[in-house]
Amino acid sequence: MSAPTAPTDRDRRRWAQYLVNERAEARVYRELAGRRDGEEREILLALAEAEGRHEAHWLELLGAEPARLPRPDVRTRLLGSMAKSFGSIFVLALAQSAEARSPYDDEPYATATMAADEKVHHEVVRGLAARGRRRLSGTFRAAVFGANDGLVSNLALVMGIGATGVSSQFVLFSGIAGLLAGALSMGAGEFVSVRSQRELLAATEPSDFADGAIPHLDIDANELALVYRTRGMPEAEAIARARRIVEAARSAGQGRAETGPIVVPDHGDVVGSAWAAALSSFLFFASGAIIPVLPWIFGLSGLAAVVLALVLVGVALMSTGAAVGLLSGAPPLRRALRQLAIGFGAAAVTYLLGLLFGVSMG
């Protein structure tokens, strides 16, 4: 796009805004680089350097540093404050969305290289954010699932019970019982799941059951090759290895099914501790399930308790939904509203059922 020959005051104000935004974004990348090491640190510093080149372009057009500069836009300021206070995963997720909305495609004074840079920056930040999401995905998924399960299920429970017209003490008892029942069920289910997975993995590992018989095998016709074939080794390689193992075992007078001692791996690195998984699931669920009960715990009843419970749960649902959207690179508001609709939809169903039972009982 060709640039106008005579820039206006409005153009210069826009350049100054670009200048401070690029400068602020470079600081964000340097701030994040200070918390990383190795390849990720180098990538973030390279991004900061690229933003510095863009900054220099606008400074050159302005002729010199303006006496008064505007503040960075709200998005860039938010990135800067989060870079100082939160983990890099959230910041990179925000930066990914920000880099996708570059104004340089329609900016007559931006070079084609700058517009291309911004598109590439989006993919670079997307890749860095994806690394962080992979590191966080398991724990974060469990936390969001557990907390939201507690929020929605216990809100639906207290709304349904409360709609029947029972006393506030009964609603409180039902909420606490629902919290404990759900949290214990989540914890027990996670314990059984992780323990079963560990036992399944352990059952698939090689054992030394037949090691003592290796020296007595026929070196030309033995089933040791079948052992290696069951572990995925090609037939010819399995036969050759079986011959080597039998020969070595005969010369040593003893043998093992492997060339060295078998070390059974610790599957805790893969699936984690069953007790830790159970405890975390219990706490995640309980942290969500306690919120709908708080109004009754503090002595409220009737409509006031219902409204406050809906407000508290609504804030929590929107917060978790926005966090999921932020980390996935999706619009946080849309994810927050979706989460809110799901939670309140479930509560509405049980509330209507409670009203129906209350009327029929009355």
Side-chain angles (χ1 to χ4, degrees):
M1 185 178 293
S2 59
T5 56
T8 64
D9 289 341
R10 183 177 181 181
D11 290 330
R12 296 182 66 83
R13 287 194 297 271
R14 192 171 65 253
W15 298 347
Q17 187 67 61
Y18 290 146
L19 172 68
V20 296
N21 285 347
E22 296 285 8
R23 191 172 287 173
E25 287 175 10
R27 282 198 298 269
V28 168
Y29 290 132
R30 284 193 291 269
E31 181 80 26
L32 294 176
R35 302 182 185 180
R36 317 301 292 179
D37 52 24
E39 185 183 41
E40 290 190 14
R41 174 183 172 84
E42 294 174 3
I43 292 172
L44 288 164
L45 290 176
L47 287 174
E49 183 180 347
E51 302 294 0
R53 290 195 300 269
H54 297 177
E55 174 194 341
H57 171 81
W58 300 118
L59 195 58
E60 181 181 357
L61 285 181
L62 288 166
E65 181 89 13
R68 295 183 60 183
L69 286 172
R71 297 182 67 190
D73 59 28
V74 174
R75 170 185 59 79
T76 310
R77 291 203 304 272
L78 178 61
L79 277 174
S81 62
M82 289 188 70
K84 297 177 181 178
S85 307
F86 295 96
S88 59
I89 297 175
F90 283 96
V91 183
L92 287 170
L94 271 179
Q96 176 185 333
S97 300
E99 294 286 4
R101 296 190 298 269
S102 171
Y104 293 163
D105 287 336
D106 301 319
E107 172 54 56
Y109 288 94
T111 67
T113 300
M114 292 171 64
D117 282 349
E118 293 299 321
K119 288 184 171 61
V120 173
H121 290 180
H122 173 260
E123 292 304 315
V124 173
V125 174
R126 180 188 181 95
L128 289 174
R131 289 186 179 188
R133 290 185 188 109
R134 284 192 291 270
R135 289 193 293 264
L136 185 66
S137 60
T139 302
F140 183 74
R141 188 198 68 81
V144 170
F145 174 76
N148 273 280
D149 196 9
L151 281 166
V152 174
S153 63
N154 229 26
L155 176 67
L157 176 63
V158 297
M159 291 294 105
I161 295 294
T164 62
V166 298
S167 66
S168 58
Q169 289 85 356
F170 191 84
V171 176
L172 175 59
F173 171 78
S174 300
I176 297 298
L179 183 156
L180 288 174
L184 288 169
S185 175
M186 288 282 289
E190 196 68 20
F191 179 88
V192 171
S193 174
V194 173
R195 179 59 65 86
S196 299
Q197 190 175 358
R198 287 173 66 94
E199 292 170 350
L200 181 63
L201 288 172
T204 64
E205 289 302 322
S207 73
D208 58 358
F209 177 75
D211 286 2
I214 290 178
H216 308 292
L217 291 173
D218 185 331
I219 197 167
D220 295 314
N222 66 77
E223 285 74 35
L224 185 56
L226 300 180
V227 174
Y228 297 121
R229 290 176 65 185
T230 63
R231 298 176 190 174
M233 192 176 292
E235 181 179 2
E237 185 179 345
I239 293 173
R241 184 169 186 179
R243 288 181 61 87
R244 290 197 305 270
I245 295 299
V246 173
E247 288 174 352
R250 285 184 174 182
S251 62
Q254 58 182 356
R256 301 192 65 86
E258 299 290 340
T259 55
I262 298 174
V263 178
V264 178
D266 179 9
H267 296 300
D269 292 339
V270 179
V271 298
S273 164
W275 284 108
L279 180 60
S280 62
S281 293
F282 179 95
L283 294 176
F284 288 146
F285 184 95
S287 66
I290 192 65
I291 294 177
V293 191
L294 288 175
W296 285 273
I297 290 178
F298 288 101
L300 294 180
S301 60
L303 182 61
V306 170
V307 171
L308 182 56
L310 289 172
V311 170
L312 293 174
V313 172
V315 171
L317 286 171
M318 292 191 70
S319 298
T320 55
V324 171
L326 203 63
L327 286 175
S328 64
L333 181 59
R334 187 181 304 170
R335 293 295 187 271
L337 293 176
R338 183 182 69 179
Q339 205 85 341
L340 183 68
I342 292 172
F344 278 13
V349 170
T350 56
Y351 186 78
L352 292 174
L353 286 173
L355 287 177
L356 180 63
F357 275 100
V359 170
S360 62
M361 290 171 62

